[in-house]
Amino acid sequence: MTNVIQNALIVGGGFSGMSAAIELRKQGIAVDLVELDPEWRSYGAGISIGGPTLRAFRTLGVLERYLEQGYACDGVEIRSSDGHLLAELPTPRIAGHDVPGSGAVMRPVLAKILAEQTRALGTQVRLGCSVASFLQDAEGVEVRFTDGSTKRYDLVIGSDGLFSAMRQMLLPDAPKPRYSGQGVWRAVLPRPNHIVRTMLWVGPKTKVGLNPVSQDEMYLFVNEDKPTNERVPPEQFLSLLQQLLAPFSAPDVRQASDMLSADSLIVYRPLEGLLVQQPWYVGRVVLIGDAVHATTPHLASGAGIGIEDAIVLADELAKASSVPAALQAFQSRRWERCRMVVHNSARLGEIEMAGGDKAEHARIMRESFQALCEPI
Ligand SMILES: Cc1cc2nc3c(=O)[nH]c(=O)nc-3n(C[C@H](O)[C@H](O)[C@H](O)COP(=O)(O)OP(=O)(O)OC[C@H]3O[C@@H](n4cnc5c(N)ncnc54)[C@H](O)[C@@H]3O)c2cc1C
């Protein structure tokens, strides 16, 4: 069957954009990808990967490399601040009986795996470049790039993240990202042998987690309530993070705190969310990933749903009889799942900040993970 597009431009080479490039190239579509960062860097510490995201990696053809270079495990332990086991959450093996149901990886490692697959399948990548403007008609989109060049495309995909310039050009009235009232600290540490899966310690208002990202390393994360999204000076990172860990007497948290040093990679990020109402496309320009649905990390699924967007978009383009039909079908398949993740993650954050109902928190977690296990 002939695809309804012959070529496509992807704007933004994050996890969503690279996944779109991989899936479109598999169908033989000519793909250009422009990425603003001349060095195509990926910032940050570890990223949690759930079963649905592992399933998506299998579709992208990168699961084996992920399993070699990242970490996969089963189940999550939830403990009190002094270390008593409160619950063990199962993580169903939805990527296949031979693949654990959960895991984590260093962001730059995942970015490198996806970038290698993107280039290997023949996407033309241009770094340090973006879209200056575009003009579309019924048959295509005329794009002018920031380097002055121009090219016509059958489809343009905006995957340029939370502060998307493509969203600003396409949907200028869309809401802006909103600060959630929480920030998250993350640090990379050596992995002691006995930390073999995700562990969470729940304090009255703060939550601490440890998550292996490879055989040698793990990442530590701590949520903190903060009234504003002000910048924290990096020279204060170590002492502020250790202060947040101080109320936790659990031996593994104490050990993690002691391992932190001035040389540790520590990152602080205020958490912002955004859900753009439908439509996510105008004519032949469509937005995916954080550009339309940026979630706080309470369900650790933001990257996963962006990657799924790419898979579903390519699938609908292969099946549809026209571009508008494909984009409408894409949006219909993605809306409820992405809305659910953004909404439920935000609600989990609100409950944590209010010191609210733990039963509601547990119910939302359980129902959200069940919903994410459904086929996309
Ligand atoms: C603190 C924190 C923790 C998180 N933890 C998890 C987790 O554990 N698990 C999980 O699944 N998700 C997590 N997420 C969410 C996840 O990081 C995002 O959902 C995901 O990175 C979105 O990918 P994206 O490709 O849509 O956007 P981005 O990752 O933002 O990528 C956008 C890309 O576009 C480029 N770009 C920007 N502007 C332009 C432009 N004008 N032109 C060209 N290129 C441009 C950028 O340089 C970047 O490469 C977390 C998020 C935060 C903030």
Side-chain angles (χ1 to χ4, degrees), residues 10-18 34-37 40-41 43 46-50 53 107 129-131 159-166 169 184 186 211 219 269-272 288-291 293-297 299-307:
I10 297 172
V11 186
F15 300 141
S16 308
M18 290 190 279
V34 287
E35 161 60 45
L36 196 57
D37 181 359
W40 207 2
R41 286 161 298 189
Y43 298 95
I47 183 165
S48 301
I49 299 295
T53 312
R107 265 177 197 268
C129 184
S130 185
V131 169
S159 50
D160 51 348
L162 181 61
F163 300 99
S164 169
M166 288 298 291
M169 287 190 265
V184 64
R186 283 162 302 153
N211 215 347
Y219 83 95
R269 258 297 283 270
L271 296 180
E272 286 167 296
I288 66 169
D290 272 19
H293 51 69
T295 171
T296 60
L299 292 169
S301 298
I305 56 174
I307 292 168

Side-chain angles (χ1 to χ4, degrees), residues 24 73 101 126 129 163 173 179-180 183 186 190 229 251 302 358 369 375:
L24 293 182
C73 51
R126 278 160 75 191
C129 184
F163 300 99
D173 297 329
Y179 177 55
S180 70
R186 283 162 302 153
N229 62 349
K358 294 217 166 17
F369 285 131

Side-chain angles (χ1 to χ4, degrees), residues 121-232:
L121 293 181
T123 288
Q124 298 302 309
V125 177
R126 278 160 75 191
L127 302 179
C129 184
S130 185
V131 169
S133 62
F134 59 84
L135 198 61
Q136 55 175 322
D137 53 47
E139 272 81 46
V141 190
E142 195 71 35
V143 176
R144 191 165 59 81
F145 293 97
T146 47
D147 63 6
S149 62
T150 57
K151 189 166 169 181
R152 191 172 169 83
Y153 293 93
D154 296 335
L155 180 72
V156 175
I157 301 171
S159 50
D160 51 348
L162 181 61
F163 300 99
S164 169
M166 288 298 291
R167 180 180 69 234
Q168 185 57 36
M169 287 190 265
L170 192 71
L171 303 170
D173 297 329
K176 304 283 176 260
R178 204 167 62 89
Y179 177 55
S180 70
Q182 284 185 310
V184 64
W185 293 85
R186 283 162 302 153
V188 183
L189 293 171
R191 181 179 75 86
N193 283 338
H194 70 282
I195 306 282
V196 291
R197 57 176 170 162
T198 307
M199 299 173 78
L200 292 176
W201 291 266
V202 190
K205 284 204 133 192
T206 316
K207 193 170 71 181
V208 174
L210 287 177
N211 215 347
V213 286
S214 69
Q215 290 308 315
D216 305 324
E217 290 182 314
M218 62 182 182
Y219 83 95
L220 163 80
F221 60 91
V222 186
N223 288 0
E224 185 189 11
D225 298 358
K226 263 189 188 279
T228 63
N229 62 349
E230 73 210 4
R231 190 179 162 273
V232 178

